[in-house]
Structures are given as structure tokens and as C-alpha cells.
Amino acid sequence: MNYVMERKRLIERLVMEGVIRSERVKTAMLTVPREEFVLPEYRKYAYVDHPLPILAGQTISAPHMCAMMCEALDLRPGHKVLEVGTGSGYHAALCAEIVAPKDSKVKGHVYTVEIEPELVEFARKNIERTGYADRVTVILGDGSQGLPQYAPYDRILVTAAAPDVPETLIRQLKPNGKLVIPVGMPGYIQFLTLVTKDEEGKVTYENLGGCIFVRLRGKYGWK
Ligand code: SAH
């Protein structure tokens, strides 16, 4: 099985479909090996554009959803990023590839919070094996409350469906910051929401369309 070829083919399709629109996201998607972030028994499906089961009843998102969220965030080298819901660590690695490319002098960083200890361990191993450990910090905790100790962030992504946009996440966003978050009931179609904070701190919301994620737990998640 040639993963590099399969990866290239999938990314070409996502470009053709208009999901991938920037060189940055395209390069990141071509660089991060998704097969290293799925369970061994699912490796052969790593480049099918579909979510896959990981541990603890959770899933790694579909490649098109990761690409869409990265595009919506407009990630740039140097950004400090917070991800809520590490899962496999794949999406965190994608973000790191954009905000802190290997040969770039500008070094951003990705902080990613995961509530399941088993997944913290899984993600850390995946991130170390693929060479992202210096650019991604995996933290065990309730990310629905954000991660105040490293705030404010240039960008925040939430990869689990929330009942609403937690105010605390908006507070942890810098001026000119962006946040993407699926909002809605677990088991139903949710809305991928882009929250933008302008220079003065004024916040606007945009609905980017339907999506399906596992539920956000914790203080500001679903009970
Ligand atoms: N971004 C992941 C996919 C995440 S699936 C990837 O690239 O693989 C959503 C994840 O959010 C699950 O692992 C789930 O355990 C985690 N999660 C749910 N509620 C959370 C919370 N309050 N804080 C941190 N992680 C949470």
C-alpha cells in the first residue's frame, strides 16, 4: 500500500472540490501522515475521506473536515493555537505544520487539550513518532473551559459539538482572532460556526454549514 500516493490523490480531490483553497493547507495535508494517527486495523482506510474510530468511543475527523476547519481559521506561521479535543493528534499536527513549518524561522505553537487520559497517551505517541512533539503540547483536561494558562490565542478550534459557543473561549481569543466550533446536539446535524473577534474586540458569527461531531463534554459541554 502506497500511502504517499493515496494521500496525494485525496488531497488533489479536495483541491478540485474547492475544500482546500490555500497552498498552506494543501502543503500541510500533503505532509502529515494520517495513517500514523489511526488505529493499526484502520490504516488501510487512512485516505478514505471519512471519520474513523479511535479509542474511548471517539473518532478522528474526516480529512475534508480538517481541511475545511484549517481554511476557515486562516492559520499563519507564528500563530499560537488552542485545540479542544486532541483525539488522535492528527488535526493538531496539521495546525502545527502550518503555524510552525520545519524550516521556518517563525515558530508558532499548538496547545491541545483532551479529556480522555487514554487518548492523551495515544495522541502523544502519534505526535512524537511523526516529529511534532516540539510544536504540539498535549494536555489532559477539560478544554470546554479553554486553557487559561497559555491564553490569549490567535486561533482556537473545537473538534467536538458544543451546546453553544463557550464565552470563556471567546475571552481567550486575541483581537483579530478566529475560533471554529461545531454547535448543536450530538447525534444530529450541527453547525460549524466561525467566530471572529475584530481589532476592537467586537465578535461576529458565521455559519459555515452542517457537520457531525462527537459531543463536547466538561463544564461547558453536554451533560
Ligand atoms: N481532533 C481530533 C478528533 C477529535 S474527536 C483528531 O484530529 O483526531 C473529539 C475529541 O474531543 C475526543 O477525543 C473527545 O474525548 C474530546 N473531548 C470531548 N470533550 C472534551 C473536553 N471538554 N475537553 C477536551 N477534550 C474533549
Side-chain angles (χ1 to χ4, degrees):
M1 187 94 53
N2 187 337
Y3 291 118
V4 177
M5 283 301 294
E6 284 194 28
R7 192 183 312 143
K8 212 166 151 245
R9 213 175 299 146
L10 170 65
I11 277 57
E12 274 166 12
R13 212 185 73 213
L14 293 175
V15 169
M16 233 159 57
E17 290 171 356
V19 176
I20 296 177
R21 302 187 306 264
S22 69
E23 275 307 312
R24 282 192 188 92
V25 174
K26 185 179 171 191
T27 305
M29 296 283 300
L30 282 172
T31 309
V32 182
R34 190 169 185 259
E35 70 275 14
E36 296 290 340
F37 292 83
V38 301
L39 295 172
E41 59 269 39
Y42 291 109
R43 278 188 140 217
K44 56 179 176 295
Y45 306 118
Y47 295 103
V48 178
D49 191 9
H50 212 272
L52 289 170
I54 44 176
L55 304 169
Q58 305 301 310
T59 52
I60 174 172
S61 308
H64 76 268
M65 188 46 66
C66 295
M68 246 179 95
M69 290 172 88
C70 284
E71 289 288 5
L73 283 170
D74 188 24
L75 297 164
R76 301 291 166 118
H79 276 167
K80 184 177 18 162
V81 178
L82 170 66
E83 180 189 41
V84 177
T86 315
S88 65
Y90 173 68
H91 208 159
L94 274 182
C95 293
E97 192 58 54
I98 305 175
V99 303
K102 244 204 156 56
D103 301 325
S104 161
K105 280 194 217 84
V106 195
K107 282 275 176 275
H109 198 85
V110 181
Y111 296 93
T112 178
V113 189
E114 171 57 53
I115 205 164
E116 279 287 342
E118 198 183 357
L119 283 169
V120 168
E121 200 184 316
F122 179 60
R124 277 196 186 131
K125 280 194 190 133
N126 297 340
I127 281 164
E128 264 165 38
R129 195 173 55 246
T130 49
Y132 290 97
D134 57 333
R135 296 169 272 171
V136 177
T137 307
V138 184
I139 294 151
L140 173 65
D142 172 15
S144 77
Q145 303 180 60
L147 188 65
Q149 62 261 49
Y150 300 109
Y153 303 94
D154 296 288
R155 301 292 187 257
I156 300 177
L157 68 152
V158 181
T159 63
D164 222 321
V165 186
E167 268 302 317
T168 181
L169 293 185
I170 296 176
R171 273 199 300 277
Q172 291 174 40
L173 203 56
K174 287 186 194 174
N176 293 320
K178 288 178 195 290
L179 155 68
V180 281
I181 177 168
V183 177
M185 295 254 287
Y188 292 84
I189 295 275
Q190 302 126 18
F191 290 105
L192 190 64
T193 308
L194 173 66
V195 182
T196 308
K197 193 186 255 190
D198 75 6
E199 188 82 53
E200 276 82 46
K202 187 170 161 279
V203 174
T204 49
Y205 299 80
E206 190 185 332
N207 174 2
L208 301 181
C211 58
I212 299 176
F213 280 82
V214 297
R215 77 190 169 103
L216 181 72
R217 283 167 285 166
K219 189 172 176 191
Y220 299 112
W222 291 98
K223 295 293 169 284

